[in-house]
Amino acid sequence: MSDSAKKYTIAVIPGDGIGKEVTPWAQKALEKAAEGVAEFEYEHFDLGAERYLRDGAILPEEEEDRIKKTDAILLGAVGDPRIKAGILERGLLLKLRFDLDQYVNLRPSKLYKGVTSPLANPGDIDFVVVREGTEGLYCGAGGAVRRGTPNEVATEVSINTAYGVERVVRYAFQLAMKRRKHVTLVHKKNVLVNAGDMWQRIVNKVAEEYPEVSHDYLHIDATTIFLVSNPSRFDVILTDNLFGDIITDEAGAVVGGVGYSASGCINASNEYPSMFEPIHGSAPDIAGQNKANPTAAILSAAMLLEHLGFDDAAKKIHTAVEADIEELGSTTRTTDEVGRDILARM
Amino acid sequence: MSDSAKKYTIAVIPGDGIGKEVTPWAQKALEKAAEGVAEFEYEHFDLGAERYLRDGAILPEEEEDRIKKTDAILLGAVGDPRIKAGILERGLLLKLRFDLDQYVNLRPSKLYKGVTSPLANPGDIDFVVVREGTEGLYCGAGGAVRRGTPNEVATEVSINTAYGVERVVRYAFQLAMKRRKHVTLVHKKNVLVNAGDMWQRIVNKVAEEYPEVSHDYLHIDATTIFLVSNPSRFDVILTDNLFGDIITDEAGAVVGGVGYSASGCINASNEYPSMFEPIHGSAPDIAGQNKANPTAAILSAAMLLEHLGFDDAAKKIHTAVEADIEELGSTTRTTDEVGRDILARM
Ligand SMILES: CC(C)[C@H](C(=O)O)[C@@H](O)C(=O)O
Ligand SMILES: CC(C)[C@H](C(=O)O)[C@@H](O)C(=O)O
């Protein structure tokens, strides 16, 4: 470790299911990639289903405060079939995204050489979804009356603000400047006329500041078609919280499985730490079997490094992952084998 | 025409773009298939973009009243780039679905022999999406304050009722009884906890009445993965209005294009006429060029016949369409050529 290496504290939240198996590999890759350029200290947080079942805690304030003081977060996955849907998701994962104001949920999709896509003619796939992370239908606004009766009414409210939309739109255009300079807004403005209209107006306004970036618009339903029929048409996809959730899973499938898809929940103003996680879930069906592919988690460590400004270190991970997939992507390996193989190349 | 043929009035609303080119073929197929068993009288409605631009009318009350008195509706497509998104969609198409209480939006997806799917290994695809048609985010509830300012807030409200959900859930289980006896509920109950929880509880309750039908649950994001990686796993997919919109387009792509996907907006209580339409839109980019595939529209005529109880007549259309696709599905033909080819086989 060189004397000049910068010091960072990383919160590690393996969470549930396969999250616990893949996160250690993300941490190892982070450590190895940063050798000599950055010094990481890790703070482990025992949060998720086991903890909740043990003592009822989901995200105690004191622990959240400690997480807020770290420089970045590595997260595995959240969700467990023993616990009612929504409790951990809303109480832990979404609470962190919202409280830490991680308004850019960044999700690159790339078809790696050596990966078999389910598409017959996938073409070159290389796009990034910029998903808004702190608004929309994810706010938790809504409720139910006369629950359990024939007269029950349940609502969900999508809240969208110009403040929240404009900052993520600006991020997407800035990102497009570093890429192929095209932004596609995805919404459903022919039905969700209030929110859709606001998104479109703000995109049109921000676009004027980026004359080199072209932009178009697609309805969410049409987008699901193009992701299958012509995924190469996309460069930067810009969309809201729910639509982003939906299309990034479809995108993950199209590039050969969510096992290769990492994501960053980014507070682009750096008031709070950003969080990096594979886009896959806790996968209870294969948890504990040393079967899960740690590649997405390892790639999320690369995103963490990029976020902290260590592009060269991130590149080491990308290069190792690309070589690993190209050579061994089609073989069946355990979690630990894939982890070791990638680490060995770094 | 036999003397005993029953008489029906069909409202024909070609609408916009390619809707005008494909709907005449749906009408011709309907006419031919029903020869000798039913007598149809057609009432044409000049509704859509042209009408709106001419005299500002979208769906005048007097015309809606006449539509309500018909026995069924053939619709083409609604939407025109010259008109702000949402005006015709909400004012005409969704207004009909809501006012006529068409609570079952039925969308079969089938991979026909002779069609090339974009998937490398599509397998046998044959499922039906039962999409709720009168609730959810499509209600038009929501608004905006401080529009156009940096302090704008725009909301969209999803309204879901036990009454509305239970009737469509029951329809899905009844349909499953006539098929492979499996229902998959699709929602996002780990985030939309109020609506998702209600859907799941009602599914569990109704399922008790159908012990032969198995059911499972998938999040909407996971569903988009399975539609690409393993579409054969689905029999009846049951979901809300917006999720149904999204996955039926993806499903259309997976079975080789929305050009083969028909739908019925069904009032299963028969208080009002049901409406049959291709799931594709008005496709302004190819409108007026005699290029659109009329197959989906023709299949929607078959769904109309089934709805009125003329299964044999519907079968004539299905058989002709299947033979046409198997033999000529991969050739490039004009709208009129496809229409003529299918009619010639009936
Ligand atoms: C687990 C769930 C709450 C989460 C989401 O919906 O955002 C997940 O699907 C994701 O995409 O990160
Ligand atoms: C045109 C639009 C309002 C409509 C919908 O969203 O329902 C269409 O996409 C469909 O699926 O029929």
Side-chain angles (χ1 to χ4, degrees):
Chain A
M1 190 66 56
S2 100
D3 287 343
S4 63
K6 297 198 199 153
K7 287 188 183 170
Y8 297 90
T9 311
I10 308 295
V12 181
I13 311 175
D16 300 322
I18 63 169
K20 290 191 193 154
E21 298 164 67
V22 298
T23 308
W25 286 109
Q27 191 184 331
K28 283 185 190 127
L30 188 62
E31 190 63 26
K32 185 144 188 193
E35 254 168 32
V37 292
E39 196 175 320
F40 291 120
E41 228 169 59
Y42 302 94
E43 217 178 317
H44 282 82
F45 290 86
D46 172 22
L47 297 167
E50 294 302 338
R51 170 78 180 277
Y52 176 68
L53 291 173
R54 205 167 61 236
D55 66 12
I58 303 179
L59 180 59
E61 212 178 306
E62 182 270 329
E63 287 167 64
E64 189 176 18
D65 284 345
R66 280 198 284 135
I67 292 172
K68 280 187 181 161
K69 290 202 189 94
T70 63
D71 296 295
I73 305 158
L74 267 187
L75 185 125
V78 171
D80 187 299
R82 293 170 295 175
I83 296 162
K84 195 177 161 76
I87 295 191
L88 296 175
E89 292 89 337
R90 298 208 62 85
L92 174 53
L93 179 64
L94 300 182
K95 190 163 163 53
L96 283 173
R97 289 187 192 159
F98 276 69
D99 288 355
L100 276 54
D101 204 25
Q102 295 165 340
Y103 59 89
V104 178
N105 196 324
L106 198 64
R107 306 188 151 197
S109 276
K110 188 172 161 168
L111 180 60
Y112 288 102
K113 257 188 232 134
V115 176
T116 315
S117 163
L119 302 185
N121 298 301
D124 278 340
I125 309 179
D126 181 4
F127 60 83
V128 182
V129 177
V130 175
R131 165 186 175 189
E132 202 292 321
T134 58
E135 302 203 334
L137 276 160
Y138 277 65
C139 292
V145 289
R146 303 189 203 91
R147 194 169 175 276
T149 77
N151 298 309
E152 179 169 353
V153 178
T155 62
E156 303 290 346
V157 184
S158 173
I159 302 178
N160 309 271
T161 70
Y163 167 78
V165 171
E166 181 160 342
R167 59 186 184 170
V168 71
V169 168
R170 187 155 273 122
Y171 188 97
F173 276 85
Q174 278 159 7
L175 183 63
M177 283 298 289
K178 295 187 230 153
R179 295 180 45 99
R180 301 195 307 278
K181 299 194 172 57
H182 186 69
V183 172
T184 302
L185 170 64
V186 170
H187 210 285
K188 182 78 190 177
K189 67 180 179 182
N190 56 349
V191 176
L192 309 177
V193 291
N194 303 293
D197 182 64
M198 185 176 74
W199 272 87
Q200 184 69 72
R201 270 185 280 113
I202 292 173
V203 164
N204 294 347
K205 191 188 75 173
V206 171
E208 285 175 17
E209 298 167 28
Y210 299 88
E212 289 171 58
V213 178
S214 59
H215 65 103
D216 62 355
Y217 169 86
L218 280 179
H219 294 314
I220 175 66
D221 45 337
T223 305
T224 67
I225 298 182
F226 282 115
L227 282 174
V228 167
S229 66
N230 185 17
S232 313
R233 89 183 280 298
F234 296 113
D235 178 19
V236 174
I237 297 180
L238 166 65
T239 192
D240 85 351
N241 214 338
L242 182 66
F243 295 145
D245 177 55
I246 297 170
I247 58 177
T248 53
D249 261 28
E250 184 182 351
V254 160
V255 297
V258 284
Y260 304 111
S261 304
S263 78
C265 303
I266 293 174
N267 178 314
S269 336
N270 289 314
E271 299 128 330
Y272 291 112
S274 296
M275 181 160 77
F276 300 87
E277 45 166 330
I279 82 159
H280 62 67
S282 55
D285 50 320
I286 60 160
Q289 297 170 42
N290 197 17
K291 266 189 187 170
N293 189 338
T295 305
I298 290 172
L299 286 170
S300 71
M303 290 183 81
L304 185 157
L305 286 164
E306 275 157 18
H307 177 72
L308 295 180
F310 298 110
D311 287 357
D312 290 342
K315 185 107 216 227
K316 278 193 212 163
I317 296 183
H318 283 297
T319 309
V321 164
E322 276 165 32
D324 177 76
I325 296 176
E326 184 162 1
E327 198 176 312
L328 300 166
S330 56
T331 61
T332 305
R333 290 174 290 169
T334 65
T335 306
D336 293 338
E337 280 166 356
V338 178
R340 268 196 297 268
D341 287 348
I342 293 174
L343 267 280
R345 289 178 198 269
M346 283 174 55
Chain B
M1 191 63 58
S2 100
D3 287 345
S4 63
K6 297 198 199 152
K7 287 188 182 169
Y8 297 89
T9 311
I10 307 295
V12 181
I13 311 174
D16 299 321
I18 62 169
K20 290 191 192 153
E21 297 163 67
V22 297
T23 308
W25 286 108
Q27 190 183 334
K28 281 184 192 129
L30 188 64
E31 189 64 26
K32 186 144 185 195
E35 254 169 31
V37 294
E39 196 175 319
F40 291 120
E41 228 168 60
Y42 303 93
E43 218 178 317
H44 282 82
F45 290 86
D46 172 21
L47 297 167
E50 294 302 338
R51 171 77 180 278
Y52 177 67
L53 292 173
R54 206 168 59 235
D55 65 14
I58 302 180
L59 180 59
E61 213 177 307
E62 183 271 329
E63 286 167 64
E64 188 176 19
D65 283 344
R66 280 197 284 136
I67 292 172
K68 280 186 180 161
K69 291 202 189 94
T70 64
D71 296 294
I73 304 158
L74 268 186
L75 185 125
V78 171
D80 187 298
R82 291 169 295 175
I83 296 162
K84 194 176 162 75
I87 295 191
L88 296 175
E89 292 90 337
R90 299 209 62 85
L92 175 53
L93 180 63
L94 300 182
K95 190 162 164 51
L96 283 173
R97 289 187 192 159
F98 275 69
D99 287 355
L100 276 52
D101 204 25
Q102 294 165 341
Y103 59 90
V104 177
N105 197 325
L106 198 65
R107 304 187 154 198
S109 275
K110 188 172 162 171
L111 180 59
Y112 288 102
K113 257 187 230 134
V115 175
T116 315
S117 164
L119 302 184
N121 297 301
D124 277 340
I125 308 179
D126 182 4
F127 60 83
V128 182
V129 177
V130 175
R131 165 185 176 189
E132 203 290 322
T134 58
E135 301 203 334
L137 277 160
Y138 276 66
C139 292
V145 289
R146 302 189 204 92
R147 192 168 177 279
T149 75
N151 298 308
E152 180 168 354
V153 178
T155 63
E156 303 289 346
V157 184
S158 172
I159 302 179
N160 309 271
T161 71
Y163 167 78
V165 171
E166 180 159 342
R167 59 186 184 171
V168 72
V169 168
R170 187 153 273 124
Y171 188 96
F173 277 85
Q174 279 160 5
L175 182 64
M177 283 297 289
K178 295 186 230 155
R179 297 180 44 99
R180 301 194 308 277
K181 299 195 173 54
H182 187 70
V183 172
T184 302
L185 171 64
V186 170
H187 209 283
K188 182 78 190 176
K189 68 180 179 183
N190 56 349
V191 176
L192 308 177
V193 293
N194 304 294
D197 183 64
M198 185 176 74
W199 271 87
Q200 184 68 71
R201 271 186 280 114
I202 293 175
V203 164
N204 294 349
K205 193 189 73 172
V206 171
E208 286 176 16
E209 299 167 29
Y210 298 88
E212 289 171 59
V213 178
S214 59
H215 65 103
D216 62 356
Y217 169 86
L218 281 180
H219 294 314
I220 175 67
D221 44 338
T223 306
T224 67
I225 298 182
F226 282 115
L227 281 174
V228 167
S229 65
N230 184 18
S232 313
R233 90 183 280 298
F234 297 113
D235 178 20
V236 174
I237 298 180
L238 166 64
T239 193
D240 86 350
N241 214 339
L242 182 65
F243 296 145
D245 177 54
I246 295 170
I247 58 177
T248 53
D249 262 28
E250 185 182 350
V254 160
V255 296
V258 284
Y260 303 110
S261 304
S263 78
C265 304
I266 293 176
N267 178 313
S269 336
N270 289 314
E271 298 129 330
Y272 292 112
S274 296
M275 182 161 76
F276 300 86
E277 45 166 331
I279 82 160
H280 63 65
S282 55
D285 49 321
I286 60 160
Q289 297 170 41
N290 197 17
K291 267 188 187 171
N293 189 338
T295 305
I298 290 171
L299 285 170
S300 72
M303 291 183 80
L304 185 158
L305 286 165
E306 275 157 18
H307 177 71
L308 295 180
F310 298 110
D311 288 357
D312 291 342
K315 185 108 215 232
K316 276 192 214 165
I317 295 183
H318 284 297
T319 310
V321 164
E322 276 165 32
D324 177 75
I325 295 175
E326 184 163 359
E327 196 175 315
L328 300 166
S330 56
T331 60
T332 305
R333 290 175 290 169
T334 64
T335 306
D336 293 337
E337 280 165 356
V338 178
R340 267 195 297 266
D341 287 348
I342 294 174
L343 267 280
R345 287 179 200 269
M346 284 175 53

